[in-house]
Amino acid sequence: MNYAALVTAIQDYTQNAETSFVANIPNFVQQAEERINRSIMLPELRKNATTTLTAGSKYLARPSDFISVFSFAVINAAGAYTYLIDKDVNFVREAYPDPATTGTPEYYAQFDGDRAGDDGNFILGPSTDAIYTAELHYYYDPASIVTAGTSWYGDNAEAALLYGSLIEAYTYMKGEQDLIALYSTRYSEALGQLTGVQLRNAQDEYRDGKL
């Protein structure tokens, strides 16, 4: 299902072609996408980024589209990986109170959040003693089907995207509660299927057995 087909389906289900309603369809779809993105963590919502840490680095800027961490590692000149352990800022500050204390980083924390002109930073403990490559696997919000025309959800999770959009559309319309309840049930069923995909992605059936 591409965006044009989704828009047609929303109008067909709601039987609404009123100008302001149609103008708000992009908002309904993006709200549905955000709802799905915050409910599941599929590999399709994961991205990898690398950057160079110079000697003495205490902080690392977060990517502009960062949502949450999947894994965080530093790689030394020999190519050896050290995966950092997530801790609170207070732990890192107390364990390494002197920024001049250096070594291979062992811990990281979310130092601050997103704000105007700054995407937030991680704090490392200890500060780096050499040049490292930082490798961050993280979750992000992919391009919306509204702007891209197609998306992974449109190709692989049509029901979740459609019913999520219909919930937002009927809320806007102040529609009948029984229909909103029906669409909410259908959405929950579709989201449950995606959750099953998420769980299967986190397991190896050969080693872990069937889900």
Side-chain angles (χ1 to χ4, degrees), residues 143-177:
S144 170
I145 194 172
V146 174
T147 54
T150 59
S151 71
W152 188 88
Y153 292 141
D155 294 337
N156 300 278
E158 293 184 13
L161 184 58
L162 173 60
Y163 287 111
S165 300
L166 287 172
I167 291 171
E168 303 300 336
Y170 258 84
T171 300
Y172 173 86
M173 291 171 59
K174 300 177 178 63
E176 299 174 6
Q177 290 302 308

Side-chain angles (χ1 to χ4, degrees), residues 96-178:
Y96 304 100
D98 185 357
T101 301
T102 62
T104 301
E106 297 181 52
Y107 306 101
Y108 77 96
Q110 304 270 356
F111 183 72
D112 54 3
D114 192 12
R115 59 188 185 278
D118 192 337
D119 297 309
N121 299 272
F122 299 109
I123 185 172
L124 309 178
S127 302
T128 54
D129 59 347
I131 296 175
Y132 292 88
T133 298
E135 182 178 89
L136 180 68
H137 279 79
Y138 65 98
Y139 291 102
Y140 76 110
D141 284 343
S144 170
I145 194 172
V146 174
T147 54
T150 59
S151 71
W152 188 88
Y153 292 141
D155 294 337
N156 300 278
E158 293 184 13
L161 184 58
L162 173 60
Y163 287 111
S165 300
L166 287 172
I167 291 171
E168 303 300 336
Y170 258 84
T171 300
Y172 173 86
M173 291 171 59
K174 300 177 178 63
E176 299 174 6
Q177 290 302 308
D178 58 341

Side-chain angles (χ1 to χ4, degrees), residues 42-52 60-75 81 83 122 133-141:
L42 294 170
E44 284 71 24
L45 304 179
R46 204 160 67 217
K47 185 184 285 190
N48 173 271
T50 59
T51 190
T52 300
L60 176 65
R62 303 189 318 186
S64 59
D65 56 355
F66 173 86
I67 297 296
S68 63
V69 177
F70 177 75
S71 68
F72 188 0
V74 293
I75 311 166
Y81 277 71
Y83 281 90
F122 299 109
T133 298
E135 182 178 89
L136 180 68
H137 279 79
Y138 65 98
Y139 291 102
Y140 76 110
D141 284 343

Side-chain angles (χ1 to χ4, degrees), residues 167-197:
I167 291 171
E168 303 300 336
Y170 258 84
T171 300
Y172 173 86
M173 291 171 59
K174 300 177 178 63
E176 299 174 6
Q177 290 302 308
D178 58 341
L179 274 178
I180 293 179
L182 173 62
Y183 294 150
S184 296
T185 298
R186 294 289 179 86
Y187 171 77
S188 296
E189 291 171 352
L191 191 65
Q193 293 172 347
L194 282 178
T195 302
V197 174

